[in-house]
Amino acid sequence: MTTDCPCGSGRSFAECCEPFITGAALPPTAEALMRSRYTAFATQALPYLHSTLDAQALADYEPEHAEDWSRNSEWLKLEIRSTEDGRETDSDGWVEFVAHFRYGDEERAHHESSYFVKTDGRWLYNNGNLGPRPRRVQKVGRNDPCTCGSGKKYKKCCGAAA
């Protein structure tokens, strides 16, 4: 009998996150690491959670809190909302997700945008923001090149109508 992976990929645990959690393979992308970290919470693979943190995240890591959350929750579903970068050839990336779980008698959702970095060929969790990732707005000066790529100054191109 095969068991579906808790991360919701639709693949079996043995084909999906288990090789990452046991150390038989490394997650190739930031999303794969995110999915395996969720699965580690769901399966109480606490050493894996610790081993997938970079130095910055380790400074804030509270193993007792992670253990309590992992052991006392029923992990219901992982929903990946979006990814930005984090591919095999990238050095960093973002994954926005919602982890649905039951803690005690209450269903809850943890919505986070996580930032991952690749260090020595290995994806690691660096930090996260609750909710969606803040959007970055690029300010364009009147004398800057136009963002449309025309080669004209912004004030003579798209900025002329503003």
Side-chain angles (χ1 to χ4, degrees):
M1 179 176 133
T2 60
T3 308
D4 287 341
C5 192
C7 80
S9 66
R11 299 182 337 201
S12 73
F13 177 59
E15 295 173 329
C16 191
C17 292
E18 184 178 38
F20 306 140
I21 291 172
T22 63
L26 292 175
T29 64
E31 182 179 338
L33 178 61
M34 177 62 247
R35 288 181 175 280
S36 66
R37 285 180 53 79
Y38 172 87
T39 298
F41 272 105
T43 61
Q44 300 173 13
L46 299 167
Y48 181 74
L49 291 172
H50 184 268
S51 73
T52 56
L53 299 172
D54 81 345
Q56 179 179 329
L58 273 172
D60 295 328
Y61 184 60
E62 297 175 9
E64 303 81 21
H65 175 72
E67 182 176 354
D68 175 64
W69 198 17
S70 174
R71 293 189 193 282
N72 295 310
S73 296
E74 177 187 354
W75 298 91
L76 305 173
K77 175 176 79 167
L78 176 65
E79 176 187 344
I80 301 293
R81 293 264 176 103
S82 67
T83 61
E84 183 179 317
D85 299 325
R87 294 173 295 273
E88 290 185 44
T89 56
D90 293 327
S91 59
D92 64 350
W94 289 87
V95 178
E96 180 186 352
F97 70 94
V98 180
H100 299 269
F101 62 100
R102 182 176 287 109
Y103 191 85
D105 292 336
E106 187 179 340
E107 274 197 33
R108 299 181 182 186
H110 176 80
H111 185 182
E112 182 177 316
S113 293
S114 296
Y115 180 64
F116 297 90
V117 294
K118 193 186 263 185
T119 305
D120 298 325
R122 185 170 181 228
W123 283 105
L124 299 170
Y125 174 86
N126 176 269
N127 68 53
N129 302 313
L130 291 179
R133 182 171 173 224
R135 295 174 63 181
R136 285 183 263 167
V137 177
Q138 177 184 1
K139 292 215 172 197
V140 180
R142 291 175 36 82
N143 291 316
D144 290 341
C146 191
T147 56
C148 74
S150 67
K152 298 179 184 177
K153 287 184 179 183
Y154 178 73
K155 68 182 178 187
K156 297 285 186 179
C157 191
C158 293

